[in-house]
Amino acid sequence: RKNTKRVPSFRKLLRTSQIKLDNKLKNKHYKQKSAAKKYRKEQKKLREAVRDAISRKPFPLEECKKKTVAGKWEDKEEEEALPLDMMDEDDLKLMEDFAQKASFLTRDLSSNEPVHVKKRKHESVIEKYEKVPRRLQTEPEKEVIHLLPIKDKTGIIPQAVEKPVLNVAHDEEEDTEEMEEAEDFNEEPLPILTPEEMAAQRKQKLQERKMHIAALASAILSEPDSNMKKLKELRAMLMEQDPNVAVIVRKLVMVSLMEIFKDIAPSYKIRPLTEAEKATKVKKETQKLREFEEGLVSQYKFYLENLEQTIKDWKQRKLKKSNVISLKAYKGLAEIAVKCLCELLVALPHFNFHNNIIVLIVPLMNDPSKMISELCVEAVKKLFKQDKLGYASLGVVKVISGLVRGRNYDVRPEVLKVFLHLRIKEVELQKDSEDIAPKKKFMTYKEKRKNLSRMQRKWKKAEEKLERELLEAEASESKEKKLKLHTETLNIVFVTYFRILKKAQKSPLLPAVLEGLAKFAHLINVEFFDDLLIVLHSLIASGDLSYRESLHCILSAFHILSGQGDVLNIDPMKFYTHLYKTLFSLHAGGTNEDIRIVLQCLDVMFAKRRKQVSQQRALAFLKRLSILALHVLPNSSVGILATNRVFMQTFPKMDLLLDNESQGSGVYLPELEEPEHCNAQNTALWELHLLQRHYHPTVQKFASHLIAGAPTEGSGALPLDLSQRSATELFETYCMKGMTFNPPVASVTPRRKDTFSQMDSFVDEELNKQLQQHISETVAHKPLDFAKHLKESSLA
C-alpha cells in the first residue's frame, strides 16, 4: 500500500516538540504493523482457499473395515460380473445411475469400502469454507491515536484515543441523494429570457467579475508577500467558463496580471535555491521572502504558459473541448496576449523567462497579421533602444538570425530593419601585439619584501581587499564586458547580412541589408573591406537594384572607407561617378525622400574626405546640385543649398563659379557623366538668381547667402538657427509631410468692396474725370423689351 501522506518540511519539524514527534512515530509504526497484519491474514485465507480447491479432486476409495458391508459388496460385485442380457431391467437402470457419478468411474474396484465414506470427510471441509462469509474488503480495524502523555508522581502515563471511523456508507447515501436532487433540479426547464433581460444579466455578471478582479488586484498590490493565494485565484480566472462574459473577463485578467507582474517583480533575477541553502536555518523574514519569490516565479511561469497556449490555439485554429469561446473571439484574445507579452518584454528584461518571451515574440514579427507583426516589431525596437547592457539585445539578435536562416531568407524586411535600432557605437577591435602583451610589473614580490616593512605590506594587503569589495559593491557592468557583448551581437548581425549578400541577392531583404551595412560599416573588421567593396560595386553595376538601394550601397562603401578604411589605398572614383550620373533621377515626386540619403552620402564623400577629393570633382558636384535645387520640393532645396554652403566653405576657389569669366580652355559639358572631365570651372551658378525669387523664404535666404560667397560674418551671413544645423536636419525641419508650410504663411485681411482709398485712384486724369462724371449722373432704369429685339431680328 502506497503511503500518500506528504513528508513534513524541515521548517514544520522545527516547530513540533520531541514528545509529539515520538507520538507521530508510534502512530506511523502502528499503522505499518496493522497493514502488515492485514496483508498476512489475506495471504493465509488465500492459501486455504487454494488448498480446498485442490481437495475437491476425486480420490480412490479405501477398503471398508466393516465385514457386513464387505459381504454385501461382494454379492454386488458378483452380480456386476454377470452378463447384461441376464440382468433385469431394474438392475440395468441402477447401473446406469451409478455410471453418471464420478466416484463410480474413478474408484478402486478392488476396494471393499463403501463409496461415500471418504467423500463425507472432504465435504465437511468444503461446507465449513463455504459457511465463511466472502468479503472483498475486510472490516477496518480500530486505529489508536497517541496523545500527549500525562506526567504523574509515578512517572509518565501514555494517553491514547481510538480514531473515529467515518460512516462511508452514510456519506455515499447523502451524496446519491444530493445528485438525485441536482438531477431533478436540472430537469426543470430554465426560464426563457428576453434579449433585454439577457443583456442586463450579462451586464450584471460582467460588473461582478470586474469588481472581483479589481479587489484581488488591489489586495495583491498592497501586500504582495502575503497574497500569493489571491494571485493564484486571479490567474485561475483566465479559464472563465461562462460563455456570456468569458472573452471580456479573460482579456481583463490578462491585462491586470500583466500590470501586477510589472509592479511587484523585483529588479533582479530569481534563481532556484540549492539543497544546501534549503537545509540552512534562516530568519523568518528571509524565509518569507523566499516563499514569496518562489510563488511569484511559479505564478509568472503559469501566466506566460497561458498566454503562449492562447496564441498557439489561435494560430492552429484549434478550439477547446468546452467550446466556451468561438474561433473569431480567439483572434481578439491572441492580440491581447501578444500585447501583454510585448509589454513584459520591454518592462522586465532582467527578470526570469525573458528568453522564453523573446522566442515567442520574434517569430510573430513575421506574422501575416499586420497588427500583430507591428506590435512585435515596435516592442523589439523599444527593447533595443533602452537596453544599456546588451544582454537582451544579444538574445533577440540570436533568435532573429536563426529565424532568417530557418525560413531560408523568406521573411519580411521589417524583421531585419530592427537591427538599425541597436545601441552599438563601439566594439572590441583586434589589438596589436604590444597591447596584448602583459605589462611589466614595476615591483616584484621580492622587491616588495625588500623595500616595504611588514606593517606596510599588511596595509597594502588591506587596501587591495578594500578595493575589491568596493568594486563588488558598485555592481556596475565594466566597459570591457559591455564591449564584449556588443562585439558578439554585431558579429551575428554581420553574419546575417553577409549570408544574404552571398545567397539571396535578389531577395526583398537586400535594401534592409544595405541600410544596415551603411550604419554599421565603420565597425566591420578591416579584413573584410576589400571583398565587401567588390560585392557592393558588383551590385551597383548589375543594374538590378533600385535607386534607393544603389544609394545605400554608396553610403555603405564610404562609411567603410571613412572609418578604419583610411589606411587602405582604395580609390572610390567609381562610386563618385555613379552618384554624379544618377543625381538627376531625383525630382519633386516620389524620389524626394531619397534626397535624405543623398545628403548623407555627400557629407561622407566630401566633408569627411576633403583631402582626397580634387577641385574639379567638387566644382562639378556643386554645379549639378545647384541645377537639382530648381526642380525639387522646398525642404530638399534647403538641404541641397546647405550642402553647397559646406562645399564653398570647405574647398578653396569655389567662388570661381560666382564669376562670369571662364577659367582655362574648354566648354562646360553638363551631359557628361565624368565629373573630372566636364569642365565645371568654365560655367557659373546662374541658378542662384532664380532661387533668390523662390516662393519659400528660407530658400531665398540661402540663395542670397551663397551669391555673397557664403560668409560667416557680416550682412550676408545666415542666422544662427540655419547656420548651426546640418543639411539633413534642415531637410527634416522643413518637411511638408503634414501638408503644412514652414514657416507659416501670414494671413491677408481682405479689402472692403464698397470703399476706395486715395491710393486706389486711377493714374490717367481723363479717365478719372469720366468716371467721376458717370458716378454723378443719375441712371434711369428702363425695362428691357426682349420681344422687340426678337421682332426686329426676324424682320431683317
Side-chain angles (χ1 to χ4, degrees):
R1 183 181 173 185
K2 187 179 179 181
N3 186 13
T4 57
K5 190 172 182 181
R6 293 179 63 186
V7 179
S9 63
F10 184 77
R11 178 172 56 84
K12 191 173 181 182
L13 289 175
L14 289 176
R15 296 179 183 174
T16 55
S17 62
Q18 185 63 35
I19 298 174
K20 202 169 181 180
L21 290 174
D22 293 338
N23 289 339
K24 285 187 176 182
L25 193 61
K26 288 178 182 178
N27 287 331
K28 184 178 179 182
H29 290 327
Y30 179 79
K31 288 180 181 179
Q32 289 177 354
K33 288 180 181 178
S34 61
K37 189 175 180 181
K38 289 179 184 178
Y39 179 76
R40 287 197 297 272
K41 285 183 178 180
E42 291 174 358
Q43 291 294 323
K44 185 177 179 181
K45 288 180 181 179
L46 184 60
R47 287 195 297 271
E48 288 178 358
V50 172
R51 196 181 300 118
D52 293 341
I54 294 171
S55 66
R56 288 185 182 183
K57 294 182 180 180
F59 290 92
L61 298 177
E62 297 178 0
E63 295 181 355
C64 185
K65 295 180 181 181
K66 294 182 180 181
K67 295 179 180 180
T68 55
V69 178
K72 293 178 182 179
W73 199 254
E74 286 176 358
D75 297 336
K76 287 182 181 180
E77 285 182 355
E78 290 175 357
E79 291 175 357
E80 288 173 0
L82 295 174
L84 294 177
D85 54 355
M86 297 177 65
M87 295 177 67
D88 297 335
E89 293 182 1
D90 297 335
D91 295 336
L92 186 59
K93 188 176 182 181
L94 182 62
M95 291 293 292
E96 290 176 356
D97 292 338
F98 278 127
Q100 293 177 1
K101 295 181 180 180
S103 60
F104 176 77
L105 296 174
T106 57
R107 72 184 181 90
D108 189 3
L109 298 177
S110 61
S111 66
N112 297 324
E113 189 179 355
V115 179
H116 301 290
V117 174
K118 199 75 175 177
K119 187 175 182 181
R120 287 195 191 101
K121 186 178 179 181
H122 291 291
E123 279 182 359
S124 62
V125 178
I126 295 171
E127 287 175 2
K128 185 180 177 182
Y129 177 70
E130 289 293 338
K131 287 177 182 179
V132 176
R134 298 180 182 178
R135 294 178 184 175
L136 296 176
Q137 294 181 353
T138 58
E139 294 182 0
E141 296 184 1
K142 294 182 179 180
E143 298 181 0
V144 180
I145 299 175
H146 294 277
L147 303 178
L148 290 173
I150 299 172
K151 190 172 183 181
D152 200 0
K153 294 180 180 180
T154 58
I156 296 174
I157 303 172
Q159 300 290 322
V161 175
E162 291 183 0
K163 187 175 181 180
V165 181
L166 298 175
N167 194 355
V168 181
H170 182 65
D171 294 343
E172 289 179 354
E173 290 177 1
E174 290 182 354
D175 293 340
T176 53
E177 289 177 0
E178 290 177 359
M179 291 175 66
E180 289 175 358
E181 291 177 1
E183 289 176 358
D184 296 339
F185 180 75
N186 291 334
E187 289 175 359
E188 295 179 3
L190 295 174
I192 301 173
L193 300 177
T194 61
E196 291 81 6
E197 292 175 348
M198 292 176 66
Q201 187 180 10
R202 179 178 180 275
K203 188 176 180 181
Q204 183 181 359
K205 286 183 181 179
L206 195 58
Q207 188 65 25
E208 291 175 358
R209 301 291 198 283
K210 286 181 180 179
M211 295 299 294
H212 188 50
I213 292 170
L216 290 175
S218 59
I220 294 166
L221 291 175
S222 60
E223 293 181 2
D225 298 348
S226 55
N227 286 322
M228 279 294 107
K229 290 184 178 179
K230 292 186 178 180
L231 182 62
K232 185 178 180 181
E233 183 182 352
L234 182 59
R235 187 185 59 80
M237 293 182 70
L238 283 171
M239 298 293 113
E240 177 66 40
Q241 297 300 321
D242 191 347
N244 293 328
V245 294
V247 178
I248 298 178
V249 170
R250 292 188 184 188
K251 289 181 180 180
L252 291 174
V253 174
M254 282 181 186
V255 178
S256 302
L257 284 171
M258 181 262 294
E259 294 295 339
I260 288 171
F261 284 122
K262 283 170 63 176
D263 287 339
I264 69 176
S267 59
Y268 54 87
K269 188 175 182 179
I270 300 172
R271 62 173 180 82
L273 298 176
T274 60
E275 294 297 331
E277 289 173 342
K278 290 179 181 178
T280 307
K281 187 177 179 181
V282 293
K283 296 180 181 179
K284 289 183 179 180
E285 293 80 5
T286 308
Q287 184 63 33
K288 188 177 180 181
L289 179 62
R290 285 183 177 181
E291 292 176 356
F292 165 69
E293 289 178 347
E294 185 179 355
L296 177 63
V297 170
S298 64
Q299 295 302 320
Y300 187 56
K301 178 185 176 183
F302 292 143
Y303 172 62
L304 293 179
E305 287 176 352
N306 286 332
L307 296 182
E308 180 185 9
Q309 192 61 42
T310 303
I311 297 171
K312 283 184 178 178
D313 291 342
W314 171 68
K315 295 287 286 182
Q316 298 173 0
R317 304 294 189 269
K318 184 172 66 176
L319 287 175
K320 298 290 184 183
K321 293 180 180 179
S322 58
N323 290 330
V324 176
I325 298 176
S326 63
L327 194 59
K328 292 182 180 179
Y330 250 100
K331 184 179 180 182
L333 275 178
E335 290 176 355
I336 297 297
V338 171
K339 284 182 181 178
C340 294
L341 286 172
C342 292
E343 287 288 333
L344 293 173
L345 178 75
V346 178
L348 302 176
H350 57 277
F351 199 55
N352 298 53
F353 309 112
H354 190 256
N355 290 334
N356 302 72
I357 300 176
I358 291 172
V359 173
L360 281 175
I361 290 295
V362 169
L364 293 175
M365 294 167 64
N366 195 41
D367 195 78
S369 175
K370 188 177 180 182
M371 179 181 176
I372 289 180
S373 64
E374 287 179 354
L375 278 174
C376 299
V377 168
E378 290 300 322
V380 173
K381 287 180 181 178
K382 286 181 184 177
L383 181 65
F384 283 162
K385 288 178 182 178
Q386 73 179 23
D387 185 23
K388 296 180 180 180
L389 303 179
Y391 288 108
S393 300
L394 178 60
V396 174
V397 168
K398 283 182 178 178
V399 179
I400 291 177
S401 177
L403 176 70
V404 173
R405 190 177 181 184
R407 297 283 179 89
N408 198 17
Y409 313 105
D410 185 17
V411 296
R412 302 177 64 179
E414 288 79 6
V415 178
L416 284 184
K417 285 184 179 179
V418 296
F419 288 160
L420 300 175
H421 299 271
L422 286 168
R423 293 181 57 176
I424 299 177
K425 295 182 180 178
E426 54 181 346
V427 294
E428 282 184 341
L429 302 176
Q430 287 187 349
K431 297 181 179 180
D432 298 333
S433 58
E434 297 178 359
D435 298 334
I436 297 173
K439 295 181 180 179
K440 182 182 178 182
K441 291 183 180 180
F442 294 101
M443 290 180 67
T444 61
Y445 176 73
K446 290 182 179 180
E447 290 175 349
K448 282 182 181 180
R449 189 161 185 176
K450 183 179 180 181
N451 297 330
L452 299 178
S453 64
R454 183 177 180 183
M455 186 60 67
Q456 287 175 339
R457 290 199 303 272
K458 189 175 181 181
W459 278 105
K460 189 78 173 174
K461 187 176 181 181
E463 285 179 3
E464 292 175 356
K465 184 178 179 181
L466 182 61
E467 287 178 1
R468 285 196 298 269
E469 290 178 354
L470 287 173
L471 288 173
E472 291 176 359
E474 285 179 2
S476 59
E477 295 295 326
S478 62
K479 188 176 180 181
E480 290 79 9
K481 197 169 186 180
K482 188 176 178 181
L483 285 176
K484 189 175 181 181
L485 287 172
H486 285 181
T487 305
E488 187 177 355
T489 303
L490 205 60
N491 286 340
I492 298 172
V493 171
F494 283 140
V495 166
T496 307
Y497 285 165
F498 294 159
R499 280 178 184 159
I500 296 172
L501 284 175
K502 184 178 180 181
K503 299 181 180 179
Q505 291 188 355
K506 295 184 179 180
S507 169
L509 300 176
L510 192 60
V513 171
L514 296 173
E515 196 172 351
L517 285 174
K519 181 174 181 179
F520 301 115
H522 62 287
L523 302 173
I524 301 176
N525 199 343
V526 184
E527 298 174 358
F528 302 107
F529 280 2
D530 290 335
D531 297 334
L532 193 55
L533 287 173
I534 292 170
V535 170
L536 292 175
H537 183 259
S538 64
L539 287 173
I540 293 175
S542 65
D544 298 332
L545 303 181
S546 64
Y547 184 63
R548 177 173 291 187
E549 293 170 3
S550 64
L551 289 177
H552 280 308
C553 284
I554 296 171
L555 188 59
S556 303
F558 280 98
H559 271 305
I560 291 170
L561 296 175
S562 63
Q564 305 174 59
D566 288 338
V567 298
L568 300 177
N569 188 16
I570 298 175
D571 185 17
M573 185 60 197
K574 47 195 173 185
F575 295 105
Y576 282 98
T577 304
H578 180 76
L579 181 62
Y580 182 80
K581 179 173 62 176
T582 57
L583 274 179
F584 285 152
S585 301
L586 301 168
H587 51 76
T591 59
N592 187 71
E593 288 299 317
D594 296 337
I595 294 181
R596 180 193 296 105
I597 308 172
V598 172
L599 296 176
Q600 295 174 3
C601 291
L602 292 170
D603 181 54
V604 180
M605 294 165 71
F606 289 94
K608 295 181 180 179
R609 293 176 58 85
R610 52 182 174 271
K611 293 182 180 179
Q612 288 90 354
V613 178
S614 64
Q615 182 182 347
Q616 294 292 331
R617 195 181 304 173
L619 288 170
F621 269 93
L622 181 61
K623 174 62 178 176
R624 183 155 287 199
L625 287 172
S626 300
I627 298 172
L628 180 63
L630 292 173
H631 54 273
V632 291
L633 292 181
N635 62 330
S636 303
S637 298
V638 171
I640 290 171
L641 293 177
T643 304
N644 287 354
R645 176 175 175 269
V646 173
F647 272 57
M648 296 183 74
Q649 291 178 350
T650 304
F651 297 97
K653 299 181 181 180
M654 288 292 108
D655 54 351
L656 291 174
L657 300 182
L658 301 177
D659 191 3
N660 290 335
E661 298 179 1
S662 60
Q663 299 289 327
S665 59
V667 181
Y668 174 59
L669 303 173
E671 71 280 356
L672 196 65
E673 295 179 353
E674 294 291 336
E676 297 283 350
H677 308 291
C678 65
N679 299 325
Q681 73 277 5
N682 295 326
T683 185
L685 297 177
W686 54 267
E687 296 85 5
L688 296 178
H689 292 280
L690 293 177
L691 292 171
Q692 268 187 315
R693 295 193 290 273
H694 199 277
Y695 66 88
H696 200 283
T698 310
V699 177
Q700 296 176 10
K701 289 180 184 178
F702 267 100
S704 302
H705 172 68
L706 293 177
I707 285 176
T712 56
E713 296 178 353
S715 59
L718 284 175
L720 288 176
D721 60 333
L722 296 177
S723 61
Q724 292 181 352
R725 293 184 184 179
S726 65
T728 311
E729 291 177 358
L730 290 169
F731 176 84
E732 296 289 345
T733 303
Y734 294 99
C735 183
M736 299 172 65
K737 279 185 178 179
M739 300 302 291
T740 55
F741 193 78
N742 188 13
V745 180
S747 60
V748 180
T749 55
R751 295 174 180 172
R752 296 179 63 182
K753 296 181 181 179
D754 55 346
T755 58
F756 288 93
S757 62
Q758 294 181 357
M759 298 297 294
D760 295 328
S761 59
F762 290 95
V763 180
D764 194 351
E765 294 182 0
E766 186 177 355
L767 187 60
N768 196 8
K769 288 179 181 179
Q770 291 180 5
L771 179 61
Q772 293 295 334
Q773 184 181 359
H774 181 71
I775 293 172
S776 60
E777 289 180 356
T778 304
V779 180
H781 296 282
K782 297 179 181 180
L784 297 175
D785 190 2
F786 294 102
K788 181 180 178 181
H789 176 69
L790 292 173
K791 290 176 183 178
E792 291 176 355
S793 61
S794 62
L795 291 172

